[in-house]
Amino acid sequence: MGKFFKELKNQSRPKTVFMEMFSYIKIFSAAILIAFVLTRCVIVNAETPTSSMENTIMTGDRYFGLRISYLFEEPQRQDIIVFKFPDDESHVFVKRIIGIPGDIVEIKNDTVYVNGERLEEPYLKEPMALGQNMVFEVPADSYFVMGDNRNISNDARYWNNTYVKKEQIIGKAMVKYYSGKVTFQVLK
């Protein structure tokens, strides 16, 4: 009788190892599927390659954006957005919304005015030194964006396709999580 149980135990062992390996494969597959869905539908993970958004987002900083931010509400003035560059949609940019649909954005005497009112911008790295006056009328379903480091930012003021269309917006930049070290900071 003891020999029978030993043989039975040895026969079930490979099935147990196989079942355990199969359970690990299922867990690993589920994790990959969840990560894929999160990165394609919920969050965007990005890095800032230039200094155009300093001091809000520094060169090399990594941040998360929410792809679903604008499903239930419209983008707002001063939101930081991640979007496809209007002149070449193969590039992804991050900038701050200055003008929303219907706004008139005027830059005069190195100051930004929206609909005739001076825009308060405590996030700017330094005062703008543009030296020229500009006026932009934001069309429907489009946004006018600028970098926080205005003196070096390649932003809507200089693009061939001046405005970011709503369908080009990938998400709202929300949390900076790496700035030379792991850190979490809500972007404003």
Side-chain angles (χ1 to χ4, degrees):
M1 195 77 153
K3 186 177 179 181
F4 173 75
F5 285 115
K6 276 187 179 180
E7 286 179 29
L8 185 62
K9 185 177 178 183
N10 287 339
Q11 287 176 358
S12 65
R13 186 172 193 144
K15 288 182 181 178
T16 305
V17 170
F18 174 75
M19 294 300 285
E20 189 157 332
M21 285 179 53
F22 184 67
S23 72
Y24 285 125
I25 290 170
K26 286 191 313 187
I27 291 169
F28 183 70
S29 298
I32 288 174
L33 181 63
I34 290 168
F36 179 79
V37 168
L38 281 175
T39 59
R40 294 289 179 215
C41 301
V42 180
I43 62 170
V44 59
N45 179 16
E47 179 179 356
T48 305
T50 68
S51 58
S52 69
M53 282 299 291
E54 290 183 359
N55 286 332
T56 307
I57 304 173
M58 305 302 282
T59 305
D61 282 357
R62 297 200 60 86
Y63 55 91
F64 288 123
L66 281 180
R67 292 180 186 270
I68 59 174
S69 291
Y70 300 123
L71 285 180
F72 305 108
E73 67 179 26
E74 294 298 312
Q76 300 296 308
R77 194 176 298 113
Q78 305 215 6
D79 283 355
I80 300 171
I81 60 170
V82 181
F83 59 94
K84 294 176 184 173
F85 177 43
D87 288 346
D88 180 356
E89 289 194 9
S90 68
H91 296 288
V92 175
F93 278 26
V94 60
K95 303 283 183 210
R96 188 178 299 273
I97 294 176
I98 301 301
I100 60 175
D103 280 350
I104 295 175
V105 178
E106 186 176 7
I107 301 169
K108 63 181 181 184
N109 301 324
D110 297 328
T111 303
V112 176
Y113 296 86
V114 178
N115 301 324
E117 293 185 31
R118 181 184 177 154
L119 184 64
E120 294 300 320
E121 301 183 286
Y123 44 77
L124 291 181
K125 180 176 181 173
E126 60 193 14
M128 188 168 35
L130 183 61
Q132 60 181 335
N133 296 341
M134 302 173 141
V135 178
F136 303 92
E137 190 172 335
V138 185
D141 204 33
S142 296
Y143 299 87
F144 182 80
V145 298
M146 295 172 72
D148 289 356
N149 192 356
R150 299 281 164 77
N151 293 321
I152 64 148
S153 180
N154 174 20
D155 54 40
R157 296 172 288 171
Y158 309 112
W159 301 338
N160 292 327
N161 297 299
T162 305
Y163 306 101
V164 176
K165 292 183 177 10
K166 185 168 183 189
E167 64 265 12
Q168 293 171 316
I169 297 174
I170 297 169
K172 180 178 181 180
M174 299 293 286
V175 176
K176 180 169 51 171
Y177 69 89
Y178 183 79
S179 185
K181 61 182 179 186
V182 177
T183 180
F184 288 92
Q185 176 186 357
V186 175
L187 295 172
K188 297 178 186 175

